[in-house]
Amino acid sequence: MKIAIYPGSFDPITNGHLDILKRGAKIFDKVVIAIADNMRKESYFSVEKRLELIEGCTTDLDNVEIDRFKGLLVDYAKKVKASVIIRGLRQVSDFEYEFQMALMNRQLNDNIDTIFLMPHEKYTYLSSSVVREITKLNGDISRFVPENVLKELRNKYGSK
Ligand code: ADP
């Protein structure tokens, strides 16, 4: 059984994340989407809320599990028996950081490989931070996030 993890902040999950998750779920037997529970990084939604939001928009994906983790990614991967880390590449600007992370993770555990998936072109400019920014400025983000995330953002900030 080939298991992959798709780690990230998902603060909140967007249609770009979902695009990558669905592509990964077609390639691997199981994909664990894992929220990095990083105490130092200030988040918009709590980990619990982010988990709930991911749960609410992935019910149709049978081979996807949702989890959270603390500490080293490679240790978490080993714990859930994943041999692959999935990351999304939007533009060349993502590359430098992702390349460094992938090679460092390989140094830490050579049995775990990182694979990069490209989203549909329409999501290449999309990020959680842009969605949060537009929400704060009361812009329409309905095309960029799943229905349940849209509702939550509207509740929190009263966006359109
Ligand atoms: P992080 O805080 O680690 O950057 P994110 O939650 O922002 O985590 O993203 C998790 C992963 O999803 C990263 O690999 C990121 O490049 C990817 N990703 C984020 N938004 C998109 C998008 N619109 N299209 C494709 N991949 C994306």
Side-chain angles (χ1 to χ4, degrees), residues 57-142:
C57 62
T58 54
T59 46
D60 57 328
L61 299 172
D62 296 335
N63 60 339
V64 167
E65 277 179 17
I66 309 155
D67 197 7
R68 62 197 281 177
F69 73 98
K70 277 187 178 149
L72 274 184
L73 181 58
V74 288
D75 291 345
Y76 173 72
K78 199 172 164 191
K79 189 183 129 202
V80 296
K81 298 185 169 52
S83 54
V84 171
I85 297 167
I86 297 173
R87 294 289 288 176
L89 268 191
R90 287 161 288 191
Q91 352 218 353
V92 181
S93 53
D94 280 341
F95 183 77
E96 206 171 334
Y97 172 74
E98 293 294 344
F99 189 62
Q100 184 185 21
M101 289 299 296
L103 293 186
M104 183 46 89
N105 282 330
R106 182 186 279 169
Q107 287 292 320
L108 295 172
N109 187 336
D110 201 15
N111 295 318
I112 298 168
D113 266 305
T114 302
I115 67 155
F116 296 102
L117 297 176
M118 272 78 70
H120 189 283
E121 303 86 87
K122 66 185 174 186
Y123 299 131
T124 51
Y125 54 87
L126 182 56
S127 70
S128 299
S129 56
V130 162
V131 161
R132 293 195 306 265
E133 197 57 36
I134 298 173
T135 305
K136 279 181 200 154
L137 299 171
N138 212 23
D140 179 8
I141 44 130
S142 55

